[in-house]
Amino acid sequence: MRDSFFLLGAERAGLLLVELMLAAHPDVAWAGDFDRAIAFDAERARSLHARLRARSPARHLGLSVHGAYGDLVQLFPAARFIYLGRSSGRAAARPGPGAALRESDRAWRAIAAQIAPEQRLELRYEQLVAAPARELARVCARLGVRFEERLLRQPAPPRALARVRNPLG
């Protein structure tokens, strides 16, 4: 059975790093950003998702989303959700990236209670960088796949990201 999971987080929170690491797993195919798809009506978003899953050679299909988390939970209630948060540090007091990080955290907290505990996982970028093996092992456990050391090697985006072509471009 093919499962989908969504990697959620603010722009510049480190999602690309997680995408590249997970795309190195043989049981994960990465379809890229799904933001534009959820801007469509629900039927078109579900249709696109179904086509991406059908094309996926791997057991799990990963998609990234930077906003509209609530819509995702309603559209894909059986999916798994991984949230990547980031401490905004000194930027928290200023507008700009810090504000986006705070808003993303608020949006995640608003929907996390609607998602069953076994379907959600929260990561922090700082912990991922400090202990990548431990944090990726948590992600793999939540997805039900074996952790592999290759996830810690320098990612190779062209081949890994090309495993599933996203029709949104």
Side-chain angles (χ1 to χ4, degrees), residues 79-151:
R80 295 185 182 153
F81 300 89
I82 300 169
Y83 177 71
L84 179 64
R86 188 170 188 162
S87 300
S88 53
R90 291 191 322 240
R94 295 182 236 152
L101 294 170
R102 288 190 310 278
E103 180 54 38
S104 181
D105 277 347
R106 274 193 292 274
W108 169 250
R109 284 191 304 275
I111 66 153
Q114 300 171 35
I115 304 168
E118 63 276 4
Q119 288 179 253
R120 70 177 191 259
L121 178 66
E122 184 172 332
L123 301 174
R124 285 286 166 197
Y125 176 81
E126 294 80 8
Q127 293 171 342
L128 177 66
V129 171
R134 180 190 70 210
E135 295 303 300
L136 287 171
R138 288 178 58 218
V139 172
C140 289
R142 185 54 45 111
L143 295 177
V145 297
R146 188 177 68 244
F147 171 75
E148 298 196 10
E149 290 291 323
R150 73 172 90 183
L151 303 181

Side-chain angles (χ1 to χ4, degrees), residues 3-169:
D3 296 320
S4 295
F5 68 94
F6 293 91
L7 179 61
L8 313 176
E11 297 266 347
R12 304 190 54 85
L15 268 64
L16 181 59
L17 174 64
V18 177
E19 290 173 15
L20 294 173
M21 292 168 123
L22 291 177
H25 198 288
D27 290 334
V28 174
W30 206 263
D33 290 343
F34 202 64
D35 286 299
R36 287 186 277 172
I38 58 175
F40 298 149
D41 61 77
E43 191 56 40
R44 286 180 66 194
R46 283 190 190 105
S47 174
L48 174 61
H49 176 261
R51 284 186 308 206
L52 289 169
R53 265 188 27 180
R55 291 181 189 169
S56 171
R59 184 173 150 212
H60 297 282
L61 177 68
L63 301 123
S64 298
V65 178
H66 298 98
Y69 305 156
D71 294 342
L72 277 175
V73 174
Q74 292 174 12
L75 288 170
F76 307 104
R80 295 185 182 153
F81 300 89
I82 300 169
Y83 177 71
L84 179 64
R86 188 170 188 162
S87 300
S88 53
R90 291 191 322 240
R94 295 182 236 152
L101 294 170
R102 288 190 310 278
E103 180 54 38
S104 181
D105 277 347
R106 274 193 292 274
W108 169 250
R109 284 191 304 275
I111 66 153
Q114 300 171 35
I115 304 168
E118 63 276 4
Q119 288 179 253
R120 70 177 191 259
L121 178 66
E122 184 172 332
L123 301 174
R124 285 286 166 197
Y125 176 81
E126 294 80 8
Q127 293 171 342
L128 177 66
V129 171
R134 180 190 70 210
E135 295 303 300
L136 287 171
R138 288 178 58 218
V139 172
C140 289
R142 185 54 45 111
L143 295 177
V145 297
R146 188 177 68 244
F147 171 75
E148 298 196 10
E149 290 291 323
R150 73 172 90 183
L151 303 181
L152 300 173
R153 295 187 199 128
Q154 183 156 357
R159 183 169 177 265
L161 293 177
R163 289 176 27 189
V164 174
R165 187 174 97 47
N166 187 337
L168 293 175

